[in-house]
Amino acid sequence: MNYDEVVLGRRSIRGFKREPVPKTLIREILQLAMRAPSSLNTQPWNFYVVSGAPLDRIRAGNTERNLAGVPDSREFRTQGAYEGAHRERQIEIAKQLFAAMGIDRHDAEKRKDWVLRGFRQFDAPVSIVVTYDRAAHGGDIAPFDCGAVTNALVNAAWSRGLGCVINSQGIMQSPVVREHANIPDDQVIMICVAMGYPDNEFPANAVVSRRKSVDEAVVFVGFGD
């Protein structure tokens, strides 16, 4: 695929085949992703690629603690409730996903099951936990760089036939993730990316989010129109 095909074709994948992803392919994808821009070339990012039994233990611990009411312990600052246009876009994509999955607004059981899928990192065969060096903690540059490399990661994966979803639910219980992914204390857990071969029979995988137009998002200055 060329660049336009990757960017325009990529979408979040929330249903995966059980087929394992070769380690060599993941290395290739990460090598591409790590060409992402980085402030002053500091490259604060690191990746903990988890699969198999360790990932199953993260799924179980994350789910059990969340169901037990343990407060989330994500290590990045969360937004809180969105308002205005941001809330409208959040609702719009939720409606698309629930419609695709046949989840009625008042179907509490199916809605709960959907949330649990997020806690389980959507049952993907691979989870890539993105961290940054604690020495860079406290400013916004290291998280910004992690965002850049994560974007590059999901696009590189798509170009190689893999699907991803960037998933903060999967790291809600950071002590569980830190323990089973062997993440040392000198790393801050930023986000995780669920990865695998897309299951084309999974309805939500067909959902494509609507994006703001250029006219809505862009202001041109100094072009002498």
Side-chain angles (χ1 to χ4, degrees), residues 112-150:
K112 178 181 177 182
D113 181 68
W114 184 257
V115 171
L116 292 178
R117 289 182 61 83
F119 293 162
R120 301 195 308 266
Q121 302 192 34
F122 295 93
D123 299 323
V126 175
S127 175
I128 300 180
V129 184
V130 183
T131 72
Y132 63 87
D133 300 329
R134 194 172 294 279
H137 189 51
D140 293 328
I141 294 298
F144 182 89
D145 282 359
C146 284
V149 81
T150 302

mmCIF file of all heavy atoms in Angstrom, residues 112-150:
data_model
loop_
_atom_site.group_PDB
_atom_site.id
_atom_site.type_symbol
_atom_site.label_atom_id
_atom_site.label_comp_id
_atom_site.label_asym_id
_atom_site.label_seq_id
_atom_site.Cartn_x
_atom_site.Cartn_y
_atom_site.Cartn_z
ATOM 1 N N LYS A 112 -22.327 -3.990 28.958
ATOM 2 C CA LYS A 112 -21.304 -4.416 29.907
ATOM 3 C C LYS A 112 -20.286 -5.319 29.223
ATOM 4 O O LYS A 112 -19.074 -5.181 29.439
ATOM 5 C CB LYS A 112 -21.954 -5.148 31.077
ATOM 6 C CG LYS A 112 -20.959 -5.666 32.104
ATOM 7 C CD LYS A 112 -21.666 -6.407 33.223
ATOM 8 C CE LYS A 112 -20.665 -6.993 34.214
ATOM 9 N NZ LYS A 112 -21.354 -7.754 35.294
ATOM 10 N N ASP A 113 -20.769 -6.222 28.383
ATOM 11 C CA ASP A 113 -19.852 -7.119 27.662
ATOM 12 C C ASP A 113 -18.895 -6.329 26.779
ATOM 13 O O ASP A 113 -17.714 -6.671 26.663
ATOM 14 C CB ASP A 113 -20.657 -8.104 26.819
ATOM 15 C CG ASP A 113 -19.764 -9.070 26.059
ATOM 16 O OD1 ASP A 113 -19.114 -9.913 26.716
ATOM 17 O OD2 ASP A 113 -19.698 -8.982 24.811
ATOM 18 N N TRP A 114 -19.388 -5.251 26.183
ATOM 19 C CA TRP A 114 -18.535 -4.421 25.332
ATOM 20 C C TRP A 114 -17.434 -3.760 26.165
ATOM 21 O O TRP A 114 -16.275 -3.702 25.747
ATOM 22 C CB TRP A 114 -19.376 -3.373 24.613
ATOM 23 C CG TRP A 114 -18.576 -2.539 23.654
ATOM 24 C CD1 TRP A 114 -18.145 -1.262 23.843
ATOM 25 C CD2 TRP A 114 -18.095 -2.947 22.373
ATOM 26 N NE1 TRP A 114 -17.424 -0.836 22.753
ATOM 27 C CE2 TRP A 114 -17.382 -1.850 21.840
ATOM 28 C CE3 TRP A 114 -18.200 -4.117 21.632
ATOM 29 C CZ2 TRP A 114 -16.772 -1.904 20.586
ATOM 30 C CZ3 TRP A 114 -17.590 -4.165 20.377
ATOM 31 C CH2 TRP A 114 -16.889 -3.073 19.874
ATOM 32 N N VAL A 115 -17.803 -3.273 27.339
ATOM 33 C CA VAL A 115 -16.805 -2.670 28.226
ATOM 34 C C VAL A 115 -15.763 -3.706 28.642
ATOM 35 O O VAL A 115 -14.555 -3.426 28.660
ATOM 36 C CB VAL A 115 -17.485 -2.053 29.462
ATOM 37 C CG1 VAL A 115 -16.449 -1.614 30.496
ATOM 38 C CG2 VAL A 115 -18.351 -0.866 29.060
ATOM 39 N N LEU A 116 -16.209 -4.912 28.950
ATOM 40 C CA LEU A 116 -15.282 -5.965 29.359
ATOM 41 C C LEU A 116 -14.311 -6.318 28.242
ATOM 42 O O LEU A 116 -13.148 -6.643 28.503
ATOM 43 C CB LEU A 116 -16.060 -7.213 29.798
ATOM 44 C CG LEU A 116 -16.875 -7.083 31.081
ATOM 45 C CD1 LEU A 116 -17.628 -8.378 31.368
ATOM 46 C CD2 LEU A 116 -15.976 -6.728 32.253
ATOM 47 N N ARG A 117 -14.769 -6.246 27.002
ATOM 48 C CA ARG A 117 -13.861 -6.495 25.872
ATOM 49 C C ARG A 117 -12.709 -5.494 25.887
ATOM 50 O O ARG A 117 -11.575 -5.833 25.581
ATOM 51 C CB ARG A 117 -14.613 -6.404 24.545
ATOM 52 C CG ARG A 117 -15.582 -7.542 24.271
ATOM 53 C CD ARG A 117 -16.229 -7.375 22.903
ATOM 54 N NE ARG A 117 -15.236 -7.398 21.850
ATOM 55 C CZ ARG A 117 -14.725 -8.499 21.316
ATOM 56 N NH1 ARG A 117 -15.141 -9.681 21.740
ATOM 57 N NH2 ARG A 117 -13.822 -8.432 20.359
ATOM 58 N N GLY A 118 -13.021 -4.248 26.233
ATOM 59 C CA GLY A 118 -11.963 -3.248 26.323
ATOM 60 C C GLY A 118 -10.971 -3.565 27.429
ATOM 61 O O GLY A 118 -9.758 -3.432 27.259
ATOM 62 N N PHE A 119 -11.497 -4.010 28.591
ATOM 63 C CA PHE A 119 -10.609 -4.403 29.687
ATOM 64 C C PHE A 119 -9.692 -5.552 29.270
ATOM 65 O O PHE A 119 -8.562 -5.660 29.744
ATOM 66 C CB PHE A 119 -11.422 -4.836 30.911
ATOM 67 C CG PHE A 119 -12.214 -3.730 31.571
ATOM 68 C CD1 PHE A 119 -13.261 -4.036 32.419
ATOM 69 C CD2 PHE A 119 -11.919 -2.394 31.341
ATOM 70 C CE1 PHE A 119 -13.995 -3.031 33.037
ATOM 71 C CE2 PHE A 119 -12.643 -1.388 31.939
ATOM 72 C CZ PHE A 119 -13.687 -1.699 32.792
ATOM 73 N N ARG A 120 -10.198 -6.419 28.370
ATOM 74 C CA ARG A 120 -9.417 -7.565 27.901
ATOM 75 C C ARG A 120 -8.565 -7.223 26.689
ATOM 76 O O ARG A 120 -8.046 -8.114 26.031
ATOM 77 C CB ARG A 120 -10.345 -8.731 27.554
ATOM 78 C CG ARG A 120 -11.218 -9.230 28.698
ATOM 79 C CD ARG A 120 -11.813 -10.599 28.364
ATOM 80 N NE ARG A 120 -12.482 -10.641 27.076
ATOM 81 C CZ ARG A 120 -13.793 -10.444 26.879
ATOM 82 N NH1 ARG A 120 -14.581 -10.168 27.920
ATOM 83 N NH2 ARG A 120 -14.317 -10.527 25.673
ATOM 84 N N GLN A 121 -8.471 -5.950 26.354
ATOM 85 C CA GLN A 121 -7.738 -5.511 25.177
ATOM 86 C C GLN A 121 -8.278 -6.185 23.922
ATOM 87 O O GLN A 121 -7.534 -6.582 23.024
ATOM 88 C CB GLN A 121 -6.236 -5.729 25.354
ATOM 89 C CG GLN A 121 -5.714 -4.990 26.583
ATOM 90 C CD GLN A 121 -4.218 -4.922 26.663
ATOM 91 O OE1 GLN A 121 -3.540 -4.825 25.653
ATOM 92 N NE2 GLN A 121 -3.686 -4.960 27.872
ATOM 93 N N PHE A 122 -9.606 -6.323 23.910
ATOM 94 C CA PHE A 122 -10.343 -6.838 22.764
ATOM 95 C C PHE A 122 -9.857 -8.227 22.319
ATOM 96 O O PHE A 122 -9.973 -8.583 21.148
ATOM 97 C CB PHE A 122 -10.299 -5.829 21.610
ATOM 98 C CG PHE A 122 -11.021 -4.546 21.945
ATOM 99 C CD1 PHE A 122 -10.336 -3.462 22.485
ATOM 100 C CD2 PHE A 122 -12.387 -4.430 21.763
ATOM 101 C CE1 PHE A 122 -11.007 -2.295 22.829
ATOM 102 C CE2 PHE A 122 -13.066 -3.262 22.098
ATOM 103 C CZ PHE A 122 -12.375 -2.197 22.630
ATOM 104 N N ASP A 123 -9.323 -8.975 23.277
ATOM 105 C CA ASP A 123 -8.879 -10.353 23.026
ATOM 106 C C ASP A 123 -7.860 -10.443 21.894
ATOM 107 O O ASP A 123 -7.760 -11.472 21.214
ATOM 108 C CB ASP A 123 -10.084 -11.264 22.739
ATOM 109 C CG ASP A 123 -11.057 -11.313 23.916
ATOM 110 O OD1 ASP A 123 -10.587 -11.299 25.069
ATOM 111 O OD2 ASP A 123 -12.274 -11.355 23.674
ATOM 112 N N ALA A 124 -7.102 -9.380 21.703
ATOM 113 C CA ALA A 124 -6.065 -9.383 20.664
ATOM 114 C C ALA A 124 -4.932 -10.326 21.060
ATOM 115 O O ALA A 124 -4.652 -10.505 22.250
ATOM 116 C CB ALA A 124 -5.510 -7.971 20.471
ATOM 117 N N PRO A 125 -4.254 -10.928 20.085
ATOM 118 C CA PRO A 125 -3.148 -11.827 20.408
ATOM 119 C C PRO A 125 -1.894 -11.113 20.897
ATOM 120 O O PRO A 125 -1.008 -11.741 21.480
ATOM 121 C CB PRO A 125 -2.883 -12.561 19.093
ATOM 122 C CG PRO A 125 -3.381 -11.634 18.034
ATOM 123 C CD PRO A 125 -4.549 -10.906 18.636
ATOM 124 N N VAL A 126 -1.820 -9.806 20.653
ATOM 125 C CA VAL A 126 -0.632 -9.030 21.032
ATOM 126 C C VAL A 126 -1.067 -7.713 21.645
ATOM 127 O O VAL A 126 -2.023 -7.081 21.176
ATOM 128 C CB VAL A 126 0.272 -8.745 19.806
ATOM 129 C CG1 VAL A 126 1.441 -7.832 20.179
ATOM 130 C CG2 VAL A 126 0.791 -10.040 19.194
ATOM 131 N N SER A 127 -0.384 -7.312 22.697
ATOM 132 C CA SER A 127 -0.546 -5.963 23.238
ATOM 133 C C SER A 127 0.828 -5.312 23.307
ATOM 134 O O SER A 127 1.775 -5.903 23.828
ATOM 135 C CB SER A 127 -1.168 -5.999 24.639
ATOM 136 O OG SER A 127 -1.211 -4.685 25.190
ATOM 137 N N ILE A 128 0.924 -4.119 22.759
ATOM 138 C CA ILE A 128 2.175 -3.361 22.839
ATOM 139 C C ILE A 128 1.962 -2.227 23.822
ATOM 140 O O ILE A 128 1.157 -1.315 23.583
ATOM 141 C CB ILE A 128 2.606 -2.827 21.466
ATOM 142 C CG1 ILE A 128 2.824 -4.007 20.495
ATOM 143 C CG2 ILE A 128 3.871 -1.985 21.593
ATOM 144 C CD1 ILE A 128 3.260 -3.584 19.105
ATOM 145 N N VAL A 129 2.639 -2.299 24.949
ATOM 146 C CA VAL A 129 2.538 -1.264 25.969
ATOM 147 C C VAL A 129 3.611 -0.211 25.678
ATOM 148 O O VAL A 129 4.811 -0.529 25.647
ATOM 149 C CB VAL A 129 2.719 -1.840 27.382
ATOM 150 C CG1 VAL A 129 2.507 -0.754 28.433
ATOM 151 C CG2 VAL A 129 1.760 -3.005 27.617
ATOM 152 N N VAL A 130 3.169 1.003 25.428
ATOM 153 C CA VAL A 130 4.091 2.107 25.122
ATOM 154 C C VAL A 130 4.409 2.836 26.426
ATOM 155 O O VAL A 130 3.498 3.258 27.150
ATOM 156 C CB VAL A 130 3.463 3.079 24.103
ATOM 157 C CG1 VAL A 130 4.448 4.186 23.738
ATOM 158 C CG2 VAL A 130 2.988 2.325 22.858
ATOM 159 N N THR A 131 5.680 2.971 26.714
ATOM 160 C CA THR A 131 6.115 3.673 27.918
ATOM 161 C C THR A 131 7.098 4.772 27.533
ATOM 162 O O THR A 131 7.592 4.811 26.404
ATOM 163 C CB THR A 131 6.801 2.721 28.913
ATOM 164 O OG1 THR A 131 8.090 2.352 28.412
ATOM 165 C CG2 THR A 131 5.967 1.469 29.150
ATOM 166 N N TYR A 132 7.380 5.645 28.497
ATOM 167 C CA TYR A 132 8.473 6.594 28.281
ATOM 168 C C TYR A 132 9.326 6.674 29.539
ATOM 169 O O TYR A 132 8.896 6.319 30.643
ATOM 170 C CB TYR A 132 7.971 7.974 27.849
ATOM 171 C CG TYR A 132 7.108 8.716 28.827
ATOM 172 C CD1 TYR A 132 7.654 9.538 29.815
ATOM 173 C CD2 TYR A 132 5.719 8.648 28.745
ATOM 174 C CE1 TYR A 132 6.855 10.237 30.697
ATOM 175 C CE2 TYR A 132 4.905 9.350 29.624
ATOM 176 C CZ TYR A 132 5.485 10.146 30.598
ATOM 177 O OH TYR A 132 4.689 10.842 31.469
ATOM 178 N N ASP A 133 10.550 7.132 29.367
ATOM 179 C CA ASP A 133 11.517 7.159 30.461
ATOM 180 C C ASP A 133 11.059 8.116 31.556
ATOM 181 O O ASP A 133 10.723 9.273 31.292
ATOM 182 C CB ASP A 133 12.886 7.598 29.933
ATOM 183 C CG ASP A 133 13.429 6.656 28.869
ATOM 184 O OD1 ASP A 133 13.120 5.445 28.937
ATOM 185 O OD2 ASP A 133 14.164 7.121 27.970
ATOM 186 N N ARG A 134 11.062 7.636 32.782
ATOM 187 C CA ARG A 134 10.606 8.456 33.897
ATOM 188 C C ARG A 134 11.465 9.722 34.054
ATOM 189 O O ARG A 134 11.001 10.739 34.599
ATOM 190 C CB ARG A 134 10.603 7.641 35.192
ATOM 191 C CG ARG A 134 9.837 8.311 36.321
ATOM 192 C CD ARG A 134 9.673 7.410 37.525
ATOM 193 N NE ARG A 134 8.843 6.252 37.261
ATOM 194 C CZ ARG A 134 7.515 6.262 37.264
ATOM 195 N NH1 ARG A 134 6.857 7.402 37.505
ATOM 196 N NH2 ARG A 134 6.833 5.161 37.038
ATOM 197 N N ALA A 135 12.696 9.686 33.585
ATOM 198 C CA ALA A 135 13.561 10.870 33.644
ATOM 199 C C ALA A 135 12.958 12.046 32.883
ATOM 200 O O ALA A 135 13.289 13.196 33.155
ATOM 201 C CB ALA A 135 14.939 10.534 33.092
ATOM 202 N N ALA A 136 12.052 11.740 31.923
ATOM 203 C CA ALA A 136 11.412 12.793 31.132
ATOM 204 C C ALA A 136 10.022 13.127 31.647
ATOM 205 O O ALA A 136 9.292 13.907 31.021
ATOM 206 C CB ALA A 136 11.326 12.363 29.672
ATOM 207 N N HIS A 137 9.627 12.565 32.790
ATOM 208 C CA HIS A 137 8.270 12.746 33.302
ATOM 209 C C HIS A 137 8.081 14.155 33.858
ATOM 210 O O HIS A 137 9.010 14.749 34.401
ATOM 211 C CB HIS A 137 8.001 11.720 34.406
ATOM 212 C CG HIS A 137 6.583 11.666 34.853
ATOM 213 N ND1 HIS A 137 5.524 11.534 33.980
ATOM 214 C CD2 HIS A 137 6.025 11.719 36.091
ATOM 215 C CE1 HIS A 137 4.397 11.508 34.645
ATOM 216 N NE2 HIS A 137 4.669 11.622 35.936
ATOM 217 N N GLY A 138 6.868 14.672 33.717
ATOM 218 C CA GLY A 138 6.543 15.971 34.289
ATOM 219 C C GLY A 138 6.263 17.029 33.246
ATOM 220 O O GLY A 138 5.578 18.014 33.523
ATOM 221 N N GLY A 139 6.781 16.828 32.045
ATOM 222 C CA GLY A 139 6.485 17.744 30.947
ATOM 223 C C GLY A 139 5.551 17.085 29.953
ATOM 224 O O GLY A 139 5.157 15.932 30.117
ATOM 225 N N ASP A 140 5.210 17.824 28.908
ATOM 226 C CA ASP A 140 4.290 17.298 27.897
ATOM 227 C C ASP A 140 5.001 16.740 26.670
ATOM 228 O O ASP A 140 4.355 16.131 25.812
ATOM 229 C CB ASP A 140 3.326 18.406 27.450
ATOM 230 C CG ASP A 140 2.378 18.813 28.565
ATOM 231 O OD1 ASP A 140 2.021 17.947 29.383
ATOM 232 O OD2 ASP A 140 1.989 20.000 28.610
ATOM 233 N N ILE A 141 6.316 16.942 26.570
ATOM 234 C CA ILE A 141 7.030 16.542 25.359
ATOM 235 C C ILE A 141 7.102 15.029 25.206
ATOM 236 O O ILE A 141 6.847 14.486 24.123
ATOM 237 C CB ILE A 141 8.443 17.159 25.332
ATOM 238 C CG1 ILE A 141 8.345 18.688 25.197
ATOM 239 C CG2 ILE A 141 9.259 16.587 24.177
ATOM 240 C CD1 ILE A 141 7.679 19.167 23.931
ATOM 241 N N ALA A 142 7.444 14.307 26.281
ATOM 242 C CA ALA A 142 7.555 12.849 26.177
ATOM 243 C C ALA A 142 6.214 12.211 25.800
ATOM 244 O O ALA A 142 6.172 11.369 24.890
ATOM 245 C CB ALA A 142 8.106 12.257 27.473
ATOM 246 N N PRO A 143 5.078 12.578 26.438
ATOM 247 C CA PRO A 143 3.803 12.040 25.979
ATOM 248 C C PRO A 143 3.472 12.426 24.536
ATOM 249 O O PRO A 143 2.891 11.635 23.795
ATOM 250 C CB PRO A 143 2.789 12.646 26.951
ATOM 251 C CG PRO A 143 3.573 12.913 28.198
ATOM 252 C CD PRO A 143 4.931 13.332 27.705
ATOM 253 N N PHE A 144 3.858 13.644 24.141
ATOM 254 C CA PHE A 144 3.646 14.069 22.761
ATOM 255 C C PHE A 144 4.405 13.147 21.811
ATOM 256 O O PHE A 144 3.869 12.684 20.792
ATOM 257 C CB PHE A 144 4.115 15.519 22.592
ATOM 258 C CG PHE A 144 3.910 16.075 21.217
ATOM 259 C CD1 PHE A 144 2.720 16.716 20.881
ATOM 260 C CD2 PHE A 144 4.900 15.973 20.257
ATOM 261 C CE1 PHE A 144 2.528 17.234 19.601
ATOM 262 C CE2 PHE A 144 4.726 16.492 18.975
ATOM 263 C CZ PHE A 144 3.535 17.124 18.649
ATOM 264 N N ASP A 145 5.663 12.862 22.133
ATOM 265 C CA ASP A 145 6.459 11.966 21.299
ATOM 266 C C ASP A 145 5.871 10.560 21.270
ATOM 267 O O ASP A 145 5.898 9.884 20.238
ATOM 268 C CB ASP A 145 7.897 11.915 21.815
ATOM 269 C CG ASP A 145 8.724 13.126 21.410
ATOM 270 O OD1 ASP A 145 8.183 14.010 20.705
ATOM 271 O OD2 ASP A 145 9.904 13.203 21.797
ATOM 272 N N CYS A 146 5.324 10.111 22.391
ATOM 273 C CA CYS A 146 4.689 8.789 22.436
ATOM 274 C C CYS A 146 3.461 8.757 21.534
ATOM 275 O O CYS A 146 3.166 7.731 20.904
ATOM 276 C CB CYS A 146 4.314 8.417 23.860
ATOM 277 S SG CYS A 146 5.720 7.896 24.863
ATOM 278 N N GLY A 147 2.734 9.866 21.467
ATOM 279 C CA GLY A 147 1.600 9.939 20.549
ATOM 280 C C GLY A 147 2.049 9.813 19.102
ATOM 281 O O GLY A 147 1.419 9.109 18.304
ATOM 282 N N ALA A 148 3.159 10.477 18.784
ATOM 283 C CA ALA A 148 3.675 10.411 17.415
ATOM 284 C C ALA A 148 4.094 8.992 17.048
ATOM 285 O O ALA A 148 3.778 8.495 15.967
ATOM 286 C CB ALA A 148 4.855 11.371 17.254
ATOM 287 N N VAL A 149 4.793 8.330 17.955
ATOM 288 C CA VAL A 149 5.279 6.985 17.641
ATOM 289 C C VAL A 149 4.133 5.984 17.618
ATOM 290 O O VAL A 149 4.157 5.007 16.850
ATOM 291 C CB VAL A 149 6.397 6.562 18.618
ATOM 292 C CG1 VAL A 149 5.855 6.066 19.940
ATOM 293 C CG2 VAL A 149 7.300 5.500 17.980
ATOM 294 N N THR A 150 3.090 6.212 18.427
ATOM 295 C CA THR A 150 1.939 5.317 18.421
ATOM 296 C C THR A 150 1.158 5.443 17.122
ATOM 297 O O THR A 150 0.700 4.447 16.549
ATOM 298 C CB THR A 150 1.037 5.589 19.634
ATOM 299 O OG1 THR A 150 1.805 5.418 20.833
ATOM 300 C CG2 THR A 150 -0.141 4.640 19.671
#
